[in-house]
Amino acid sequence: MNRPPATARALLASGLSVTALLSTAACAVQDGPRPRWFSASATAAAPAGERPQGSGAGLTQLQAQAALVTEADLGEPWVPTRGAKTWRDGLLKGTTERPDCQRLLDALYTEEFFGAPAGPRATSALDAAGTDTQLRYEIAPHSPADVDRTLAWLKSLPRRCGQFTAATTRGRAQGVEVTDMPLPPIGDARQALRITLAGETEKGELTYLTVDVAAVRVGAEAITLTNAGLDEVYAEVTQHAVRVGAERLTEIRKQGRAQI
């Protein structure tokens, strides 16, 4: 686990003080947003020749896929995913009365931090074999101004949503903590967070989900990475993946411009 049980229970205890809120939030969570299915070769349904507006040449579908991070970049124990983990619906889908914090929960669950892309997108998804940790990596074209506004919002979340309470789909209380996570100096703009969600099952067993979120803008393309699980989630993996990915995307963008 990422933290001693005492720390997780302290975070949970801070959330249990608002159970009246959770009884109403649990009803609303059933109508919340749905996540997009992902796989190692998932892409948006966009014409192959489509270019993102305002990004010059942009990336083709094949270039976007070539820029992805795969299991070869991370090594053991990472393998192509076999599908979404059960903790996604059970723990990650939740509600809170705090608007910015709800926006964060929705983005974590749907994996849509920047909205609909302006052209082709590509994703890869990996599992850490022998654990329930899962990493998802996406490249998609977006307006640089829109990306930078979202990055600024992410940067504000440790202050706005440092600690809050959320309700799961079954009305169980979860204490949520949001902290800043450093990234190497990559891309044109970047931001990363670590989100932890501590709760209990109906049998009183402690649950502790860790989610790393990293977002990087490289020109008019945005990289979005989530690295999450109930087992150990290593910040070094998150940082390494976005560094390798940003460097690869930068090089592919240069090659694309040279071919024009």
Side-chain angles (χ1 to χ4, degrees):
M1 300 296 289
N2 299 80
R3 297 187 178 186
T7 304
R9 290 191 180 278
L11 181 57
L12 172 61
S14 69
L16 293 176
S17 62
V18 288
T19 52
L21 161 66
L22 300 181
S23 63
T24 57
C27 298
V29 74
Q30 302 295 338
D31 300 322
R34 299 298 302 168
R36 289 184 295 101
W37 180 252
F38 58 87
S39 69
S41 60
T43 57
E50 183 176 342
R51 305 290 188 177
Q53 295 179 355
S55 63
L59 296 183
T60 66
Q61 186 71 73
L62 291 178
Q63 287 174 322
Q65 289 180 285
L68 290 172
V69 167
T70 70
E71 67 274 15
D73 299 303
L74 302 183
E76 295 183 353
W78 295 96
V79 296
T81 188
R82 293 186 176 182
K85 298 297 183 180
T86 57
W87 48 252
R88 295 188 58 79
D89 279 342
L91 301 177
L92 196 54
K93 185 178 182 181
T95 58
T96 179
E97 286 190 342
R98 299 171 62 176
D100 272 310
C101 308
Q102 184 64 58
R103 179 184 171 189
L104 171 63
L105 291 176
D106 291 345
L108 289 174
Y109 183 67
T110 62
E111 299 169 332
E112 290 282 5
F113 285 87
F114 299 108
R121 77 166 130 204
T123 66
S124 59
L126 307 172
D127 295 338
T131 76
D132 63 6
T133 301
Q134 191 164 68
L135 184 147
R136 181 181 179 281
Y137 188 93
E138 176 179 289
I139 297 172
H142 294 277
S143 160
D146 289 344
V147 172
D148 289 348
R149 277 192 291 269
T150 299
L151 293 178
W153 169 71
L154 290 172
K155 185 176 182 179
S156 75
L157 290 181
R159 172 177 53 84
R160 298 181 185 221
C161 300
Q163 289 191 346
F164 66 97
T165 302
T168 67
T169 55
R170 295 186 178 182
R172 307 297 297 180
Q174 286 201 115
V176 184
E177 183 178 63
V178 182
T179 58
D180 186 74
M181 190 173 75
L183 287 179
I186 52 176
D188 299 306
R190 69 209 66 84
Q191 181 59 42
L193 300 172
R194 169 158 286 199
I195 300 100
T196 53
L197 303 92
E200 288 183 351
T201 66
E202 294 176 355
K203 296 181 179 180
E205 299 172 337
L206 181 68
T207 61
Y208 193 74
L209 177 67
T210 302
V211 185
D212 284 353
V213 176
V216 179
R217 181 173 66 79
V218 180
E221 275 77 38
I223 294 170
T224 309
L225 178 147
T226 57
N227 180 20
L230 297 169
D231 294 299
E232 191 77 39
V233 174
Y234 295 99
E236 294 82 0
V237 171
T238 302
Q239 294 161 341
H240 172 72
V242 292
R243 180 183 61 79
V244 170
E247 291 174 353
R248 181 171 299 158
L249 178 57
T250 299
E251 184 58 32
I252 287 177
R253 283 175 55 84
K254 289 179 180 178
Q255 293 174 4
R257 287 195 296 269
Q259 294 171 3
I260 297 175

